[in-house]
Amino acid sequence: MAMWVFGYGSLLWNPGFEVAESVIGSLPGYGRSFCMRSIHHRGTVQDPGLVLALDEQPQGACSGMALRVNPGVEDATLEYLRERELISSAYLEKNLSVSLSDGRVVEAVVYVIDESHEQYCGGLSLEEQAQIIAKAVGGRGPNTEYLYNTADHLRDVGLKDADLDWLHQRVKMLAS
């Protein structure tokens, strides 16, 4: 059985594993937002950045990319993803149904926010998010790079995210 991973943030533009197939997909019951403080990759403990996470939204759905892992490297891919995504246990790993744009429905590995974790920060205004993203830097680089790459990639594949587009413009103004 094929292994699928649902990408909605940095996995869109930097999956870090061999992708056999990439298909636009929708994950019901969740919404993408900058609701996780990043203390490793895009910020520090002293000056946290923000990264995207999936918040439960019973009436919502998140659009992203379903990434099918190359056959034969599933175990190594899962090990890599766990090391990358579960670095501070703020994400929960789940296997959830994703509806693909071609009509298929697949089970995919999905990383969603643990709302009880100390890094969870849902409910920040877009302006608060922009102020944080404009200045934070972590082990994988500036928080701005994470935002720009994600917003650009979503646009490149034809997916709209009004909040990310607004943040992209606002952070460019703040960071210049």
Side-chain angles (χ1 to χ4, degrees):
M1 187 162 129
M3 177 183 171
W4 291 84
V5 177
F6 183 69
Y8 57 88
S10 63
L11 288 173
L12 294 169
W13 47 271
N14 182 26
F17 59 89
E18 297 177 42
V19 177
E21 182 182 5
S22 181
V23 184
I24 290 175
S26 179
L27 176 67
Y30 290 90
R32 169 185 29 245
S33 68
F34 278 99
C35 63
M36 181 177 149
R37 295 193 190 284
S38 178
I39 59 173
H40 300 286
H41 299 317
R42 299 298 173 165
T44 64
V45 172
Q46 298 79 19
D47 191 17
L50 293 174
V51 291
L52 292 164
L54 292 174
D55 244 339
E56 278 194 56
Q57 291 181 358
Q59 306 307 314
C62 178
S63 59
M65 298 297 288
L67 309 170
R68 185 168 56 83
V69 176
N70 265 352
V73 295
E74 295 90 350
D75 289 344
T77 298
L78 194 55
E79 184 179 323
Y80 163 77
L81 288 170
R82 286 177 174 163
E83 185 177 306
R84 171 180 166 166
E85 302 297 328
L86 302 179
I87 188 169
S88 64
S89 303
Y91 285 124
L92 301 172
E93 182 181 282
K94 295 189 175 194
N95 289 302
L96 300 171
S97 293
V98 175
S99 299
L100 304 185
S101 59
D102 61 14
R104 291 179 288 169
V105 176
V106 299
E107 287 291 308
V109 175
V110 182
Y111 293 94
V112 303
I113 191 71
D114 177 354
E115 293 180 16
S116 67
H117 196 276
E118 64 187 351
Q119 287 174 251
Y120 176 69
C121 61
L124 295 176
S125 72
L126 287 175
E127 182 59 31
E128 288 175 287
Q129 294 173 43
Q131 294 290 334
I132 293 167
I133 293 167
K135 62 180 175 55
V137 178
R140 291 199 181 201
N143 209 168
T144 54
E145 176 187 73
Y146 176 93
L147 166 65
Y148 299 158
N149 282 337
T150 304
D152 289 346
H153 194 82
L154 283 169
R155 271 194 307 277
D156 289 349
V157 298
L159 297 175
K160 303 263 188 250
D161 188 311
D163 287 353
L164 259 63
D165 289 342
W166 186 91
L167 283 166
H168 189 274
Q169 287 186 313
R170 180 66 178 135
V171 168
K172 278 218 184 265
M173 288 174 39
L174 291 170
S176 60

